[in-house]
Amino acid sequence: MIISYQWLLEYLPEAVPVNELSKILTSIGLEVEAVEAVESIKGGLEGLVIGEVLTCGKHPNADKLSVTTVTIGAGEPLHIVCGAPNVAAGQKVVVAPVGATVHPTEGEPFQIKKAKIRGEESAGMLCAEDEIGLGKSHAGLLVLPADAVVGTLAKDYFKVPQTDFAIHIGLTPNRSDANSHIGVARDVCAYLTHHKGHKYAVRMPEPKLGNAPADTRIKVTIEATEACPRYAGISLENVKVGPSPEWLQQRLQTIGLRSINNIVDITNYVLHEYGQPLHAFDADKIGGAEINVRFLPQGAVFMGLDEKERKLQATDLVICDANGPMAIGGVFGGLHSGISDATTNVFLESAYFDPKHIRRTSLYHGLRTDAATHFEKGVDINNVLPALKRAASMIAEIAGGEIDSQLTDEYPMPLPSVQVTVGYEYIQKLSGKAYQHTAIQKILIALGFEIINEAGDDVTLKVPSNKTDVTQPADIVEEVLRIDGLDNIEIPGRLNIALTKALPNDREVRDRVAELLCGMGLQEIVTNSIVNSKFYPERNDLVRMINSLSADLDVMRPSMLEGGLEVVAYNCNRKSQDLGLFEYGNVYAQKDGKYIQEARLALWVTGNIRTTHWDQKEQKTTIFYLKGLIDNLVKYAGIKNVLLNSDGEEMVWTWKNKTLCIAKEVPQARLGLFDIKQPVYFAEINWDVWAKAQAAGAIVYKEVPKFPAVQRDIAIVLDANVTYKQVEETTEQLKLDALKSFGLFDVFESEKLGKGKKSYALSYTFQLQDRTLTDGEIEQLMKQLMDVYKNKLSAQIRE
């Protein structure tokens, strides 16, 4: 937020130097991020003076130069060489004497120095308008009227406005009460009252409307009172739309706003003065001379000021006339009802709109207007009329308008005032400072709080309507601390900190698994748990955000997949395409009116497992690489009795009939939403089930065998429909103690094997803990394996 220093001073009972004001604002929680000088004319014509050309003759050594003598009302006349073609004796001109700094309209400022030009000394400069920032013309000298007084300072002659300062404040979202010049002035006056010992009051504007007709020109009806508790308006006639006066344009320019026309500029001025958004309608374009504040059916069409059609939601608040929607209430004006150069009659709107409705509509349509941001933070409902009167009086004064109706104020159900009860001891305890009761009362009264009742240590306060964020005792403590000054809180020599939040009880397990994954080459990521609902059009169990920060972040994630795909897309777009990622997080859903939150561990792999090297070829990631990662985690976690099933599209690990993990290749249609052009494989572990499975298992440590291991290989021919999983289960059913491990190292398919046949090459490792296996024992073990393959899988042993 930007505050104009000169503008702010209008509401303070006494001037406060800008540097001191900056310190005060930061001290009371309105952190000043920057202070910038703002000049209507660069340099403010500082050092320049009005002079008169006494003599003017040709330069002896240059045809286009003249030699002049100029008086500036003090001292000897100045000898100045001038190149302007229109210079002549008797002219009143702007003189830049030696030492003055000139600020041209374009280019960098420069200092005037005594010089010798073509052999003639020159002690100053006679100025054109573009050379001193007063215009763009460089046709010749700026010649002033004959009645200009020699010796007058140029800044006084041209009545240059006093230098202003743009104060940039880092306003926190809860401080809607300070979202205006008057709001900031209230806080400053409260600070001065507390610290200087006598009362400082804000100098409020006093608008005068004069006599008005007894009737109302525009009839106002509020149907949607839950979204618009209060709506006020007034009509003005004979308005002349045109440029704003210089002072108004300058005020708006200081706070970063562009002048549009006098009517729109006045509504913007009052917005930043009171913090109350206003809207001006062309009264002649209000159909039926009636306004209805209501909701329209889903899909109703609205044409905005930007000439874009928008389809409205059923929850969008709309300002309608007899013909249809004229504006989206508190958010955006309509194309056909706005102010134009031809407007002569104006209906001025001032209303209070519910913050939730405004925020929802603003985010949905992507209309982040000044009005919307003010309404969604909360405005003072009691500012509706003062701001309206102020704007109407300014239109009458600046645009020649005449009040054409009584002021309409529809407020069917007045909002109750907020009351908060707080104990003095509580304030002292929470603030860490032993405030006197009278000091607390003085601060709160200066801020506009009203003491309703005192009973023992407790005091009941009526909260001023501008402080929409004050709802509980802790908020009262914050108000006291701010005005006393956040820098004035004493820091004790010793700080006692109590850690009340316990770490997750599975933290050690999580860390161990994370270390394993990092050791396997994966990297941990953290993504947002709030995602875009557009990824889940088919789901009706989403947990939606009530007050989402963005239209693109409106639901709690039901899956970990999409967050990781955004990370994959970000990296792939930057040529980092070989990725292994993992993340711990929660997923959310709702069922039968109840919210469900479950912990997950997700893995994403894509690109190459290894890249091309002189001694190896690149190896691309596959679903089986991801399967290997999961199998390794299961093994190292000591989880027993895990079953793996696959239907060709995804692999599912189960433990005690509960889904432990699901792995799959991400469908191409899903990847297309993120513009990912390479395969991505994804696994999601149900962490709650995993933690139970790991706790139920036990890792048994054994001494490293002293006796050698023996390896044997065989190749078996099977029907093509027999899976390796069937081979694996058949092998494990034998429960051979000496069989330490086995695996598949080759698959061969050829017509030579026979139609519908394939060959598996299998490797076995045998080892005993207490002795060396004999050749006979090994041959017997291999015979058992071959027999079971022949009997149960109809396998043939390849010689």
Side-chain angles (χ1 to χ4, degrees):
M1 181 181 73
I2 303 176
I3 291 293
S4 160
Y5 172 68
Q6 295 294 342
W7 190 354
L8 183 64
L9 289 184
E10 291 187 3
Y11 311 110
L12 300 180
E14 64 181 42
V16 180
V18 66
N19 291 335
E20 182 183 343
L21 181 64
S22 296
K23 293 178 182 177
I24 291 174
L25 292 176
T26 299
S27 179
I28 59 181
L30 303 176
E31 182 182 1
V32 174
E33 298 175 336
V35 177
E36 296 177 344
V38 179
E39 297 173 319
S40 58
I41 299 173
K42 287 194 294 185
L45 304 183
E46 198 67 42
L48 308 186
V49 65
I50 305 302
E52 181 178 1
V53 180
L54 300 177
T55 65
C56 178
K58 288 292 183 182
H59 192 293
N61 302 317
D63 293 339
K64 294 184 179 182
L65 297 179
S66 301
V67 179
T68 67
T69 55
V70 181
T71 179
I72 56 174
E76 296 293 324
L78 302 177
H79 189 76
I80 298 176
V81 176
C82 178
N86 65 330
V87 62
Q91 291 176 335
K92 301 290 181 67
V93 294
V94 179
V95 182
V98 173
T101 299
V102 174
H103 295 260
T105 302
E106 296 180 0
E108 296 298 318
F110 58 91
Q111 190 177 45
I112 300 299
K113 298 178 180 178
K114 197 168 186 178
K116 186 172 281 190
I117 302 174
R118 294 289 186 94
E120 293 288 329
E121 286 192 356
S122 182
M125 184 175 87
L126 307 185
C127 304
E129 66 177 46
D130 69 324
E131 292 171 330
I132 55 176
L134 287 177
K136 295 184 178 180
S137 174
H138 194 68
L141 290 183
L142 176 61
V143 180
L144 305 178
D147 60 358
V149 179
V150 174
T152 303
L153 296 178
K155 65 179 181 180
D156 295 335
Y157 178 82
F158 289 101
K159 298 180 180 178
V160 177
Q162 193 171 359
T163 299
D164 201 353
F165 295 92
I167 304 173
H168 296 253
I169 295 176
L171 191 69
T172 53
N174 64 312
R175 292 302 312 282
S176 61
D177 61 302
N179 203 7
S180 65
H181 284 74
I182 289 176
V184 172
R186 282 197 188 101
D187 269 9
V188 173
C189 286
Y191 178 91
L192 295 174
T193 297
H194 174 63
H195 289 276
K196 294 199 173 183
H198 59 275
K199 185 175 181 180
Y200 286 77
V202 177
R203 296 191 300 182
M204 296 294 290
E206 297 180 359
K208 296 178 181 179
L209 299 182
N211 297 324
D215 61 341
T216 55
R217 299 296 186 197
I218 307 294
K219 179 185 176 184
V220 174
T221 304
I222 305 176
E223 288 185 19
T225 54
E226 69 275 27
C228 178
R230 190 174 194 178
Y231 190 99
I234 194 169
S235 299
L236 297 99
E237 64 178 355
N238 300 323
V239 171
K240 295 180 178 62
V241 178
S244 295
E246 188 68 30
W247 70 266
L248 180 53
Q249 293 187 38
Q250 186 62 36
R251 285 280 167 87
L252 296 178
Q253 181 183 335
T254 300
I255 62 173
L257 295 181
R258 179 176 59 89
S259 176
I260 298 174
N261 61 51
N262 50 8
I263 306 302
V264 176
D265 289 355
I266 287 168
T267 61
N268 283 332
Y269 182 89
V270 175
L271 167 63
H272 291 276
E273 182 178 43
Y274 281 86
Q276 171 65 39
L278 304 171
H279 188 73
F281 295 98
D282 187 325
D284 295 329
K285 297 177 182 178
I286 300 177
E290 64 179 53
I291 283 179
N292 194 345
V293 186
R294 55 178 295 203
F295 298 118
L296 290 180
Q298 182 81 19
V301 176
F302 168 73
M303 178 68 75
L305 281 169
D306 55 0
E307 300 185 9
K308 291 183 180 179
E309 275 193 0
R310 292 176 173 84
K311 290 187 177 180
L312 300 176
Q313 304 178 96
T315 54
D316 291 338
L317 186 66
V318 185
I319 313 300
C320 298
D321 64 3
N323 301 321
M326 296 192 299
I328 300 177
V331 178
F332 203 55
L335 178 64
H336 303 299
S337 61
I339 301 297
S340 67
D341 291 343
T343 298
T344 57
N345 299 315
V346 171
F347 179 77
L348 199 57
E349 166 198 281
S350 180
Y352 177 90
F353 297 116
D354 175 65
K356 293 179 182 177
H357 284 83
I358 297 301
R359 182 170 179 78
R360 186 186 300 121
T361 295
S362 173
L363 291 175
Y364 179 81
H365 294 290
L367 296 170
R368 306 300 292 154
T369 59
D370 261 358
T373 53
H374 276 73
F375 278 125
E376 69 185 28
K377 291 176 182 177
V379 299
D380 183 358
I381 198 167
N382 290 325
N383 260 349
V384 168
L385 293 186
L388 180 62
K389 292 177 181 178
R390 171 68 160 160
S393 67
M394 290 183 69
I395 291 175
E397 178 184 346
I398 293 173
E402 300 170 7
I403 305 300
D404 190 35
S405 74
Q406 285 292 314
L407 188 148
T408 299
D409 182 19
E410 291 295 320
Y411 194 10
M413 298 177 63
L415 298 183
S417 60
V418 176
Q419 294 187 6
V420 177
T421 299
V422 62
Y424 291 112
E425 184 178 348
Y426 174 81
I427 294 175
Q428 294 171 350
K429 181 179 180 181
L430 194 59
S431 67
K433 189 169 182 178
Y435 288 106
Q436 297 293 324
H437 293 191
T438 53
I440 294 172
Q441 292 177 6
K442 184 179 179 182
I443 289 173
L444 294 174
I445 291 172
L447 286 169
F449 288 85
E450 182 181 338
I451 298 176
I452 302 297
N453 183 49
E454 283 190 87
D457 184 63
D458 293 339
V459 57
T460 301
L461 301 162
K462 179 181 176 181
V463 180
S465 55
N466 65 303
K467 294 202 171 288
T468 57
D469 68 315
V470 177
T471 59
Q472 58 186 338
D475 298 330
I476 302 295
V477 180
E478 180 185 352
E479 293 296 293
V480 172
L481 282 173
R482 284 195 313 103
I483 300 306
D484 183 43
L486 299 176
D487 295 336
N488 294 328
I489 302 301
E490 299 172 358
I491 304 298
R494 177 180 177 183
L495 294 176
N496 296 318
I497 302 175
L499 296 176
T500 57
K501 184 176 180 181
L503 294 173
N505 55 15
D506 64 344
R507 178 66 175 270
E508 185 178 343
V509 177
R510 286 178 179 240
D511 289 348
R512 189 182 307 130
V513 172
E515 288 176 3
L516 288 171
L517 289 170
C518 289
M520 291 184 229
L522 277 71
Q523 294 178 302
E524 186 170 7
I525 62 173
V526 178
T527 62
N528 200 338
S529 59
I530 308 173
V531 295
N532 196 326
S533 60
K534 73 177 183 181
F535 297 137
Y536 316 100
E538 73 289 349
R539 296 192 64 151
N540 56 12
D541 61 344
L542 298 175
V543 178
R544 297 188 177 275
M545 302 293 293
I546 296 174
N547 289 318
S548 56
L549 297 175
S550 164
D552 294 333
L553 300 172
D554 58 346
V555 297
M556 303 297 288
R557 63 185 173 201
S559 166
M560 301 287 289
L561 173 62
E562 287 70 26
L565 289 181
E566 288 184 332
V567 176
V568 171
Y570 182 89
N571 282 273
C572 287
N573 289 338
R574 288 155 180 79
K575 304 303 181 184
S576 178
Q577 298 169 317
D578 302 329
L579 301 168
L581 311 170
F582 72 94
E583 179 183 14
Y584 287 104
N586 295 322
V587 295
Y588 307 85
Q590 56 176 320
K591 184 178 181 182
D592 299 330
K594 295 182 179 180
Y595 294 114
I596 302 168
Q597 174 180 314
E598 295 180 338
R600 294 285 189 267
L601 169 59
L603 288 76
W604 299 262
V605 292
T606 185
N608 293 321
I609 300 171
R610 65 172 181 235
T611 56
T612 302
H613 197 254
W614 69 270
D615 64 345
Q616 66 181 24
K617 294 182 179 180
E618 71 175 26
Q619 182 180 352
K620 294 191 175 297
T621 302
T622 66
I623 188 66
F624 298 104
Y625 171 69
L626 182 58
K627 173 184 177 294
L629 295 178
I630 303 300
D631 286 341
N632 280 339
L633 289 181
V634 170
K635 176 182 176 182
Y636 286 119
I639 301 176
K640 310 296 183 185
N641 304 316
V642 175
L643 299 179
L644 172 62
N645 293 292
S646 175
D647 61 3
E649 292 187 0
E650 62 182 25
M651 298 180 180
V652 181
W653 287 259
T654 58
W655 177 79
K656 291 187 177 181
N657 297 321
K658 296 178 181 177
T659 301
L660 184 68
C661 177
I662 297 176
K664 63 182 179 181
E665 180 178 355
V666 180
Q668 190 59 46
R670 208 64 169 167
L671 296 178
L673 295 175
F674 299 88
D675 198 27
I676 299 174
K677 297 179 174 61
Q678 62 187 53
V680 178
Y681 303 93
F682 171 69
E684 190 170 68
I685 294 172
N686 186 325
W687 186 255
D688 296 326
V689 176
W690 182 282
K692 292 177 182 177
Q694 184 163 350
I699 299 176
V700 178
Y701 293 91
K702 295 180 180 179
E703 183 182 359
V704 177
K706 299 178 180 179
F707 301 95
V710 179
Q711 291 186 331
R712 292 288 188 271
D713 299 336
I714 62 170
I716 58 176
V717 178
L718 300 159
D719 290 338
N721 60 355
V722 177
T723 64
Y724 174 69
K725 180 173 176 56
Q726 291 175 274
V727 176
E728 190 176 49
E729 290 174 348
T730 302
T731 305
E732 290 175 346
Q733 287 172 1
L734 286 175
K735 296 182 179 180
L736 302 176
D737 292 337
L739 181 60
K740 294 302 179 186
S741 64
F742 67 94
L744 174 70
F745 67 87
D746 187 42
V747 178
F748 176 69
E749 292 180 292
S750 172
E751 292 181 358
K752 295 179 181 179
L753 296 175
K755 187 176 181 180
K757 297 291 184 178
K758 65 182 176 183
S759 173
Y760 281 162
L762 304 168
S763 176
Y764 304 88
T765 300
F766 300 100
Q767 190 176 34
L768 289 176
Q769 193 79 16
D770 58 348
R771 61 187 178 83
T772 303
L773 286 164
T774 66
D775 287 342
E777 289 173 324
I778 294 171
E779 292 301 326
Q780 183 60 33
L781 291 170
M782 291 300 297
K783 183 176 183 305
Q784 287 181 260
L785 289 167
M786 289 186 283
D787 287 344
V788 76
Y789 294 152
K790 291 176 183 177
N791 295 333
K792 292 193 174 183
L793 301 177
S794 301
Q796 299 175 8
I797 309 302
R798 292 182 65 191
E799 298 297 335

